């Protein structure tokens, strides 16, 4: 069983640039969610995708966008980078959907460390 | 808006039982409570999940009172390797999905 993998592991960008982060879900998982974790803070939910459509979103501006592909891999895109976007970005996959979606444990990758200068 | 609150930090000694409580006053009716463990530079790792009463697995127990407004993660006989940050997680049933992580409890196990 292959776990959740994220790429790249580290990235340095300049303010105003755009970045794309990638995630491969665990085998058999059809739901993916993304989180931003600032240093010393808990993960903050960005959004969730199921069957290639966004079905949940946290308090993040539209410059944070995503995609889920038919093979359930996913991308997080951030436009017009700001210094405060510097954080660890985590991807998590889970199985199942519906009323009890919160009851499917999340399987996390080890994240991408983004530094904006 | 769902919100969770946890103690910021706890210290314990090896071999002791550790209990970490999370309050989630606005938990949704259908929502489960899930706990995760996170080591530095790693993603959170699932520990245990429950809906009500008590759940036990090979690494922890989870106690949830009848009103479900709080939950307590119990780690029996902790070791140095249990030093980590522990998060409780609930969902927000507001039409779309939204996960709410707690502030996290930094557990330090001392020899």
């Amino acid at each position: 069983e292959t776990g959740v993998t994220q790429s790249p592991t580290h990235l340095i960008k300049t303010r105003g640039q755009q970045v794309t982060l990638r995630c491969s879900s665990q085998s058999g998982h059809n739901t993916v969610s993304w989180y931003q974790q600032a240093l010393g803070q808990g993960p903050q939910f960005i959004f969730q995708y199921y069957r290639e459509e966004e079905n949940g979103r946290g308090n993040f501006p539209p410059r944070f966008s995503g995609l889920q592909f038919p093979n359930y891999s996913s991308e997080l895109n951030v436009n017009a980078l700001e210094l405060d976007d510097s954080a660890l970005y985590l991807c998590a996959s889970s199985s199942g959907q519906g009323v009890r979606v919160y009851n499917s444990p999340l399987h996390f990758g080890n994240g991408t460390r983004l530094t904006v200068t | 808006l769902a919100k969770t609150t946890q103690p910021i930090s706890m210290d314990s000694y090896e071999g002791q039982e550790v209990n970490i409580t999370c309050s989630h006053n606005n938990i949704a009716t259908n929502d489960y409570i899930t706990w995760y463990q996170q080591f530095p530079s790693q993603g959170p790792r699932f520990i245990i999940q429950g809906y009500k009463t008590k759940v036990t697995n090979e690494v922890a127990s989870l106690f949830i009172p009848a009103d479900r407004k709080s939950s307590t993660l119990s780690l029996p006989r902790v070791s140095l390797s249990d030093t980590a940050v522990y998060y409780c997680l609930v969902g927000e049933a507001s039409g779309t999905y939204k996960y709410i992580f707690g502030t996290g409890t930094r557990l330090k196990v001392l020899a």
Side-chain angles (χ1 to χ4, degrees):
Chain A
E1 180 180 271
T2 304
V4 177
T5 58
Q6 293 186 241
S7 62
T9 55
H10 295 82
L11 198 56
I12 300 175
K13 288 286 189 177
T14 303
R15 188 173 54 184
Q17 286 187 317
Q18 178 266 341
V19 68
T20 298
L21 310 182
R22 295 179 172 82
C23 172
S24 292
S25 298
Q26 182 165 314
S27 176
H29 287 180
N30 55 15
T31 304
V32 65
S33 51
W34 286 88
Y35 303 81
Q36 180 194 66
Q37 186 173 28
L39 202 60
Q41 304 295 316
Q44 299 296 309
F45 175 69
I46 303 176
F47 45 57
Q48 175 174 279
Y49 278 80
Y50 171 67
R51 289 185 176 176
E52 303 175 50
E53 290 193 4
E54 182 182 298
N55 70 349
R57 190 175 184 93
N59 298 324
F60 282 81
R63 62 188 184 85
F64 285 79
S65 63
L67 286 172
Q68 185 185 30
F69 301 101
N71 65 355
Y72 303 130
S73 64
S74 175
E75 287 183 356
L76 165 65
N77 299 290
V78 186
N79 294 322
L81 284 167
E82 301 176 359
L83 297 179
D84 285 348
D85 295 334
S86 294
L88 180 68
Y89 287 86
L90 295 162
C91 164
S93 70
S94 59
S95 61
Q97 189 49 269
V99 174
R100 292 179 179 269
V101 67
Y102 295 122
N103 308 333
S104 298
L106 301 172
H107 296 257
F108 285 85
N110 285 329
T112 294
R113 173 73 61 189
L114 173 65
T115 302
V116 182
T117 62
Chain B
L1 179 69
K3 180 182 176 182
T4 62
T5 304
Q6 303 174 231
I8 294 175
S9 65
M10 298 179 70
D11 287 347
S12 181
Y13 288 95
E14 279 191 293
Q16 289 188 330
E17 178 184 75
V18 171
N19 296 308
I20 306 174
T21 297
C22 176
S23 66
H24 28 77
N25 292 325
N26 296 327
I27 187 171
T29 302
N30 292 332
D31 196 14
Y32 279 50
I33 299 113
T34 313
W35 283 80
Y36 292 84
Q37 176 192 55
Q38 187 176 27
F39 297 111
S41 300
Q42 293 186 21
R45 185 177 70 175
F46 171 83
I47 301 173
I48 197 167
Q49 182 182 71
Y51 183 78
K52 61 181 179 180
T53 64
K54 177 183 176 182
V55 178
T56 298
N57 63 20
E58 62 276 10
V59 298
S61 294
L62 179 60
F63 300 90
I64 305 170
D67 65 8
R68 301 192 344 110
K69 293 186 176 181
S70 67
S71 59
T72 299
L73 172 72
S74 181
L75 304 172
R77 298 179 298 282
V78 294
S79 63
L80 296 176
S81 63
D82 293 319
T83 294
V85 180
Y86 292 82
Y87 294 98
C88 66
L89 173 68
V90 299
E92 181 178 298
S94 61
T96 61
Y97 297 107
K98 187 179 293 185
Y99 291 99
I100 310 294
F101 273 89
T103 51
T105 299
R106 191 171 302 274
L107 173 65
K108 185 176 182 179
V109 180
L110 306 169

